[in-house]
Amino acid sequence: MHLRRPFVLAASGALIAAVCTTTTAQAQPTTPNAVPDAQTLAVSAAAGLVASRPAALHASADDVFLAQKAISATNGLKYIPYERSYKGLAVVGGDFVVATDSTGQVLGTSVAQDQTINLATTTAKVSKDAAETTARQQLSAVESISPAQQVVYALGTPTLAWKTTVVGRDAEGPSRLDVIVDAATGKVLRTQEHVMNGDGTSAYNRPNPVHLDTTVSGSTYSLKDPNLTNVSCQDAANNTTFSGPDDLWGNGNATSRETGCVDALFAAQTEKKMLTQWLGRNGFDGSGGGWPIRVGLNDQNAYYDGSQVQIGKNTAGQWISSLDVVAHELGHGIDDHTPGGISGAGTQEFVADVFGASTEWFANEPSGGDVPDFLVGETINLVGSGPIRNMYNPSALGDKNCYDSSVPNGEVHAAAGPGNHWFYLLAEGTNPTNGQPTSTTCNSSTITGLGVQSALKIFYNAMLLKTSSSSYLKYRTWTLTAAKNLFPGSCTEFNTVKAAWDAISVPAQSADPTCSATGTVTVSNPGNQSTVTGASVNLPLSASGGTAPYTWSATGLPAGLSISSSTGTISGTATTAGTSNVTVTATDSAGKPGTASFSWTVGTTGGCSGQKIANGGFESGATSWTGTTGSIGQWGSQGQAAHGGTYSSWLDGYGTTHTESIAQSVSIPAGCHASLTFYLHIDTAETTTSTAYDKLTVTNGSATLGSYSNLNKASGYVLKTIDVSSAAGGTLALKFTGTEDSSLQTSFVIDDVAVTLS
Ligand SMILES: [Ca+2]
Ligand SMILES: [Ca+2]
Ligand SMILES: [Ca+2]
Ligand SMILES: [Zn+2]
């Protein structure tokens, strides 16, 4: 089955919400931008570092390190988590992470432990039974307890301890609690809750019907994700996945469990797409999987407990599976399955809220649906008073806007206030221009936000540096480090992260990195220009690297032309014939310049000859191209040979919703004939012979020059020729845009692009 059109059923005069579903076999998406052997490089670089036992690890002679599965993120970053043992005993708080860049160079380490272990004895004074008795006393009702294991507890002064897990209930509901007991004194050193309680809303998603990926077996359909291991939506009464004879689900009424599951699975699949597209993460657990979601908890609550998500109801009996509630609970699962486990010291709920809000922004639903915001559970009617948390002004709902030393020991949901406020300032700033509310700071500073996507990327990469010693103070250091790792050569993101922490009163830490814009400013070269005497000119230039904003200047411009110092656009009317050598300079906010030089001919004919595209065969990599320049590379080893040379641009090929583009602008003198030629190869996993699901468009500004799709698949390259003479007397803003739908890959491979004048 490969359905894409929505089904809408009308019954009893009322419109009943149904769902549009895609039922697929396991797709095998290709990854055109993966760097060969990057994983191997990263793992061996980390192993080399660890083997050298640097001081940062606080390694004793009796420590043994065990690498865990490496985690890939965007921008070529890799994170290799490690666990530690001491004389054969597991070390709680012995964990650390090694981060590496796209070339396999070690960027740094993140280490939980701050003292070297040196125990006088590994013989416990407190018995195993006594430790288990103490652990049981931490819950009001105990269902089971795991046998206590001897460990070293190394958060603080390393201590011999017993570790066990008790399952049962406490005052807040279900509990699965790790308890660590001092093996010398019998005191509780630390507890760690694994059941994450949340709250929710009963909002519907729009537009209806919503699209779900489901599974079919024989003639029975089920609400089981076909691409994510272990993710389904079930009735909590019997833990049975909803199934039926057709692929239509729910009735639009939130008191129906099946409808609750429609919204829950939709939320999970939306969040999963965000993890893939924004963060490069493979599923909720990082290994392509997640947990069953069970609708029907008889409580005004929702929770994640390490093996499932349970969804309860509001006082009107509506199941509370809204985007932000479900994404929050699954956010706890992501936290649980990143290095260091569930975040501590008052940060766990803020971590989950970040995923809840970001998922709403990724979904970006229209009005009438769950319109993106920075409120948590805004349509909940639990007590009839709207949202349960406010990220731009936490104090509006009774939580703290600013961090202080009492926050880590406060109630976990209230403790989310300062962190939520930090995320809002990082994403939106103090005075957003997109209609979001203003936000005050605790130090009267003003901040320009980076946008939700960059903010989440920074936060998630900080989570990949997380250790078991997590706290607000540690997150400050980790997010600053993540901003540097993600945006090398730029301090804009780093400075915004820092300003946002300062703005909520999380103090500077001695471990905080510093940023100086060591990266160079690069001006993308527009190529040699030709203009007819008396013609008007509009040539926008762009720069990257360093610290924005840039200040622009130019030397050698033809008479009548000038450059805007703020935007970098050259404009005016070329009045005098001749050839000039132009150098444009962009200077970043730290005073670092970048330049580009080209010639500019002004004349009566403009010269109707020659080829205008720079690096049209991509053999100089991304030079002269803008857009998804990661699509440009040597893809021969991945089955995509170039047409000429070894480089080409490979757009799409993921089998998930994806848009990639490359662009280059050239000026075409007035009166010239101009011909665009390029070689195009298309392969696809789509089998349809009638529907264009995945498309490549070739455009000049808003004008479409050519359009291709999965229907044009062919084994080799095909030469395409398009007359672009209509651009004469101005700029040809050439752009190739590949757009994929949610399943079945289509690859558009482009090479040897030329614009020839005659
Ligand atoms: Ca919300
Ligand atoms: Ca080539
Ligand atoms: Ca497709
Ligand atoms: Zn929570």
Side-chain angles (χ1 to χ4, degrees), residues 197-198 328 332 349 413:
N197 292 291
H328 170 108
H332 283 308
E349 296 305 322
H413 295 89

Side-chain angles (χ1 to χ4, degrees), residues 377-399:
E378 55 275 5
T379 54
I380 199 168
N381 284 318
L382 202 64
V383 289
S385 64
I388 56 174
R389 283 186 293 284
N390 176 321
M391 299 176 78
Y392 55 88
N393 182 18
S395 66
L397 293 171
D399 300 330

Side-chain angles (χ1 to χ4, degrees), residues 155-212:
L155 293 168
T157 304
T159 308
L160 188 67
W162 291 102
K163 180 184 177 191
T164 181
T165 303
V166 276
V167 176
R169 296 185 71 81
D170 64 7
E172 289 191 5
S175 176
R176 190 162 68 84
L177 193 71
D178 288 346
V179 182
I180 294 169
V181 176
D182 191 319
T185 66
K187 284 192 178 140
V188 174
L189 290 167
R190 174 172 160 123
T191 60
Q192 169 80 59
E193 180 59 78
H194 289 273
V195 177
M196 296 293 131
N197 292 291
D199 297 291
T201 100
S202 61
Y204 298 121
N205 295 292
R206 292 291 183 277
N208 251 331
V210 296
H211 181 113
L212 298 175

